[in-house]
């Protein structure tokens, strides 16, 4: 929805404004979503919502069964289902003022971004079951499909994998900007554009609480706004994001013009999606046999309950076998990258009504935010605990992505 206006305040001063609102719902379901197939039809305990979320139909549908000698049975896609509602509201107010040979333009812009997101995508939310084919295999012999099928007939499970959505991912954030621009007609041949934009991006929140942060040095997850922990969890954003812009156009004679410009633009990426699912928002349970030619349990026993944490103290220790989620920001100030843009153009009328242009245009991104796995040696290298202080004590042998 969009609405706008413009109003003449005086012969030299006008104002205009625009309001926009977007409301987008997205649902990606799976076959049998309205039924707990694994729990009520296959009678496998712990599948779908298990005892903990048995009445939550978002965990409904077919679990995934593999390792029984044939193709997978069920739905293997761990990223499904998803339920997302995304809303955004924007308001811009601008003023234009002509004063002698100055054309001034100034105003502000306010954005409110809201994302409600349910998607426990770190593992299969209905449950994933792999049969223990090695349990029916003679040690030293090559395992065959018949071994897997025999293990399935006996109900011998090698491993289970399952995820739950402990916190629904509710994200709220503001984006604010103010700007001023002066188009100055210095003389008949020279026009100069001078501009300055100020932007402020407050840290996102989770609606009724703050943001989470993982500290890799202590293996602690800090929960903003819970248990006396500050809502920002030790993360700050800059209040000094000034973006200058400058340009000029110069007429050389009656047929040629030189144009050039330079400007800085800060990356306006919303943080709601990249920082949406840190532990314990999504919790993955992995239950695997620890002995060769053995099994974890019988399928009649099913998937054990996933341990749900007590978040009342505002701090948690990240278990060694649990993925922290997509990524975590470091403590301290999180810095947005910025883009430098510049150009130089020549224009000349070569024939009446025909203009030729030649020029150079370039952009360069500085300090772009990206994922960095701090448990790796480097590009193309393997995991290396030595790169992370105290990592050996934590046993963090899985990917540890920090956003910086």
């Amino acid at each position: 929805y969009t609405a706008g206006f413009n109003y003449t305040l005086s012969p030299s001063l006008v104002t205009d404004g625009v309001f926009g609102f977007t409301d987008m719902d997205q649902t990606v379901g799976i076959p049998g979503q309205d039924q707990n197939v694994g729990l009520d039809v296959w009678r496998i305990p712990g599948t779908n919502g298990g005892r903990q979320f048995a009445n939550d139909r978002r965990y409904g549908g077919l679990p995934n069964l593999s390792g029984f000698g044939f193709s997978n049975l069920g739905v293997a896609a761990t990223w499904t289902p998803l339920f997302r509602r995304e809303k955004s509201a924007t308001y811009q107010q601008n003023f234009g003022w002509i004063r002698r040979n100055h054309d001034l333009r100034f105003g502000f812009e306010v954005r409110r971004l809201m994302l409600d997101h349910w998607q426990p995508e770190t593992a299969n939310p209905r449950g994933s079951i792999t049969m223990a084919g090695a349990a029916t295999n003679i040690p030293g012999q090559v395992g065959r499909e018949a071994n897997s099928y025999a293990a399935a007939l006996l109900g011998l499970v090698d491993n289970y994998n399952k995820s739950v959505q402990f916190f629904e991912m509710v994200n709220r954030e503001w984006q604010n900007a103010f700007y001023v621009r002066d188009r100055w007609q210095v003389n008949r041949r020279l026009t100069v554009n001078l501009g300055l934009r100020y932007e402020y991006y407050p840290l996102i929140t989770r609606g009724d609480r703050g943001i989470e942060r993982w500290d890799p040095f202590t293996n602690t997850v800090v929960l903003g706004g819970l248990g006396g922990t500050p809502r920002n969890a030790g993360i700050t954003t800059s209040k000094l994001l000034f973006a200058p812009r400058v340009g000029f156009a110069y007429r050389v004679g009656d047929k040629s013009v030189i144009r050039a410009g330079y400007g800085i633009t800060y990356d306006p990426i919303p943080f709601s999606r990249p920082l949406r699912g840190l532990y314990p928002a999504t919790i993955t349970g992995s239950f695997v046999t620890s002995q060769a030619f053995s099994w974890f349990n019988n399928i009649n026993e099913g998937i054990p309950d996933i341990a749900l944490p007590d978040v009342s103290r505002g701090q948690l220790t990240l278990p060694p076998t649990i993925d922290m989620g997509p990524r975590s920001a470091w403590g301290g100030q999180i810095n947005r990258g910025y883009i430098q843009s510049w150009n130089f153009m020549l224009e000349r009328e070569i024939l009446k009504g025909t203009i030729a242009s030649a020029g150079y245009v370039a952009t360069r991104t500085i300090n772009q935010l990206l994922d960095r796995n701090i448990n790796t040696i480097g590009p193309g290298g393997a995991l290396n605990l030595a790169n992370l202080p105290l990592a050996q004590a934590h046993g963090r042998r899985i990917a540890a992505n920090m956003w910086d």
Side-chain angles (χ1 to χ4, degrees), residues 67-343:
F68 59 95
F70 300 94
S71 299
N72 285 24
L73 179 66
V75 179
T78 60
W79 63 273
T80 56
L82 69 84
F83 303 87
R84 181 182 297 133
R85 184 172 189 182
E86 185 173 355
K87 296 184 289 185
S88 63
T90 302
Y91 180 72
Q92 300 172 341
Q93 179 79 46
N94 307 293
F95 296 88
W97 183 36
I98 297 177
R99 180 72 173 175
R100 297 188 179 90
N101 56 342
H102 292 273
D103 178 4
L104 294 170
R105 182 81 167 166
F106 56 93
F108 65 90
E109 180 178 5
V110 179
R111 298 191 194 106
R112 178 63 166 170
L113 306 177
M114 296 155 279
L115 176 64
D116 297 349
H117 188 189
W118 191 98
Q119 186 184 16
E121 57 189 322
T122 57
N124 196 317
R126 300 161 298 281
S128 179
I129 305 166
T130 304
M131 307 312 296
T136 60
N137 188 26
I138 299 174
Q141 297 296 313
V142 177
R144 306 291 185 184
E145 286 78 3
N147 299 111
S148 299
Y149 188 58
L153 292 176
L154 294 170
L156 306 181
V157 176
D158 179 73
N159 68 78
Y160 297 107
N161 197 271
K162 190 174 186 295
S163 62
V164 300
Q165 191 82 77
F166 184 67
F167 283 148
E168 189 148 349
M169 292 173 277
V170 178
N171 301 288
R172 302 290 183 267
E173 60 184 302
W174 291 96
Q175 296 186 344
N176 308 302
F178 305 87
Y179 78 95
V180 59
R181 185 267 294 159
D182 180 13
R183 185 165 60 192
W184 176 24
Q185 188 74 45
V186 179
N187 53 46
R188 181 177 174 273
R189 294 184 178 276
L190 177 63
T191 302
V192 176
N193 274 278
L194 300 173
L196 181 66
R197 184 178 175 92
Y198 171 74
E199 298 180 351
Y200 176 52
Y201 299 87
L203 190 65
I204 67 172
T205 66
R206 305 300 191 200
D208 59 348
R209 57 187 178 87
I211 192 174
E212 308 85 26
R213 176 177 63 85
W214 177 57
D215 184 345
F217 300 100
T218 62
N219 199 38
T220 301
V221 178
V222 181
L223 306 171
L226 298 177
T229 303
R231 286 175 68 90
N232 68 356
I235 303 172
T236 60
T237 59
S238 177
K239 297 180 180 179
L240 300 174
L241 301 184
F242 293 95
R245 288 91 185 264
V246 60
F248 74 88
Y250 184 73
R251 181 179 296 276
V252 183
D254 295 330
K255 294 186 177 182
S256 300
V257 178
I258 300 174
R259 306 178 190 274
Y262 171 83
I264 288 178
T265 301
Y266 284 96
D267 188 349
I269 177 175
F271 286 179
S272 291
R273 181 166 174 78
L275 297 182
R276 71 192 184 281
L278 187 66
Y279 175 86
T282 304
I283 303 175
T284 299
S286 182
F287 308 94
V288 184
T289 178
S290 58
Q291 298 179 358
F293 304 102
S294 183
W295 59 93
F296 178 80
N297 72 3
N298 191 279
I299 199 169
N300 291 329
E301 301 173 67
I303 305 175
D305 290 342
I306 296 176
L308 303 180
D310 178 8
V311 300
S312 61
R313 294 188 300 108
Q315 291 191 0
L316 296 170
T317 298
L318 183 63
T321 58
I322 287 184
D323 192 337
M324 69 176 181
R327 62 195 59 81
S328 173
W330 293 96
Q333 183 169 294
I334 184 169
N335 296 309
R336 288 177 175 269
Y338 62 92
I339 302 169
Q340 293 179 312
S341 303
W342 59 94
N343 63 80

